[in-house]
Amino acid sequence: MKSLRLGVNVDHVATVRNARGGIHPDPVLAAHLSVRGGADGITAHLREDRRHIRDEDIARLKAELAVPLNFEMAVTEEMLAIAERTRPHAACLVPEKREERTTEGGLDIVGNRERLVEPIARLKAAGIRVSLFVEPELDVMDTAMALGAPVVELHTGTYCEAVAHGDPAAIAHELARIRRAASHGALIGLEIHAGHGLNLENVRPVAALPEIAELNIGHFLIGEAIFVGLENAVKAMRAAMDEARAGRPT
Ligand code: PXP
């Protein structure tokens, strides 16, 4: 059985810090505690408006972490230059709109194919593993492969909304999309990650899919940490993922 990695996104520790200025709570300390709780990697999104993670957070995460850093970034010249300078383990390319509250969907790599060729080549030349955050569709998997990206991260947000609305038909539809894309993507040679909106209520059916190698989870874990502590929140997620992957009911 292939193991399932957990990447913890620490953006919203920085959101709370920035609400008051100053240095507390520290996203780098949160990263260390997440690793203690069972995270295999840390994700941070340096947004254009720096609303949560800041440049110095990325530099410190890169300098201090023993686990891989996944740098989430929009495809802009500024972010490409920061990635090339910082050389994180991985860079996950995401769409970014200033007005959005969070990333609203996958990157349109079919429509923007030509524009992605050079950025992907530059990141690869810098030794960075490129991941594309995309919708779970078959043609999107083929395009990612043709673009030479080794990894795709499937957007699970629509599935998670279906679970939140308690809509069984939509849940089945969205899970089938994710399952089909994961299995096709893996078959053609992509490494499959997934994320967005995952929590303890909805994570199991996604974690159970054998082709998925990594889940990236942020908002739920940072919110849950208020009640149980970050290390415990990560431990509980890790346990739910492992149980689902092993086919054990919880
Ligand atoms: N993966 C990607 C590409 C994202 O943009 C985000 C949100 O920043 C996540 C995963 C984590 O989503 P959430 O915070 O909803 O767990």
Side-chain angles (χ1 to χ4, degrees):
M1 190 180 55
K2 218 161 70 176
S3 72
L4 178 59
R5 293 194 303 272
L6 170 60
V8 172
N9 180 321
V10 295
D11 291 353
H12 295 305
V13 178
T15 303
V16 176
R17 175 194 62 191
N18 298 355
R20 283 289 170 96
I23 58 169
H24 180 79
D26 178 14
V28 180
L29 176 58
H32 288 305
L33 291 174
S34 299
V35 172
R36 240 203 266 166
D40 303 289
I42 296 297
T43 296
H45 184 179
L46 185 66
R47 294 186 75 102
E48 186 191 14
D49 62 8
R50 308 302 199 269
R51 69 174 73 156
H52 38 57
I53 292 292
R54 295 178 178 151
D55 300 58
E56 58 271 26
D57 297 324
I58 294 292
R60 286 176 60 223
L61 286 167
K62 166 68 181 168
E64 289 190 28
L65 285 178
V67 298
L69 172 63
N70 178 30
F71 178 59
E72 233 185 85
M73 54 176 272
V75 190
T76 63
E77 182 51 44
E78 181 196 23
M79 290 303 151
L80 282 166
I82 292 171
E84 287 174 323
R85 231 179 15 248
T86 312
R87 293 180 185 253
H89 168 79
C92 182
L93 305 186
V94 300
E96 196 176 298
K97 292 190 214 125
R98 256 173 199 265
E99 326 73 55
E100 70 189 356
R101 213 178 294 171
T102 180
T103 311
E104 284 168 355
L107 194 61
D108 175 14
I109 63 169
V110 177
N112 292 296
R113 191 176 168 145
E114 294 309 317
R115 283 187 37 220
L116 288 165
V117 172
E118 199 220 325
I120 291 173
R122 278 175 61 180
L123 292 167
K124 286 172 77 170
I128 300 165
R129 198 161 164 79
V130 177
S131 164
L132 304 176
F133 182 54
V134 291
E135 292 301 317
E137 294 294 340
L138 302 189
D139 62 331
V140 174
M141 301 300 103
D142 293 331
T143 303
M145 194 66 199
L147 279 166
V151 183
V152 287
E153 180 168 325
L154 304 181
H155 177 238
T156 53
T158 316
Y159 156 72
C160 294
E161 273 169 33
V163 176
H165 293 135
D167 180 341
I171 295 170
H173 176 77
E174 291 305 325
L175 266 181
R177 281 176 77 214
I178 294 169
R179 192 180 306 116
R180 273 199 303 270
S183 97
H184 179 67
L187 194 69
I188 62 174
L190 293 166
E191 181 173 312
I192 312 292
H193 299 178
H196 210 279
L198 294 171
N199 59 34
L200 278 178
E201 185 196 358
N202 61 29
V203 75
R204 289 178 181 81
V206 179
L209 299 176
E211 295 87 358
I212 294 184
E214 179 174 310
L215 298 181
N216 284 303
I217 308 181
H219 184 265
F220 173 79
L221 290 174
I222 305 308
E224 189 70 357
I226 293 169
F227 305 111
V228 302
L230 184 54
E231 202 177 324
N232 287 332
V234 174
K235 270 187 195 154
M237 183 59 73
R238 179 75 274 163
M241 287 165 51
D242 292 345
E243 283 158 6
R245 180 52 65 96
R248 286 195 299 270
T250 47

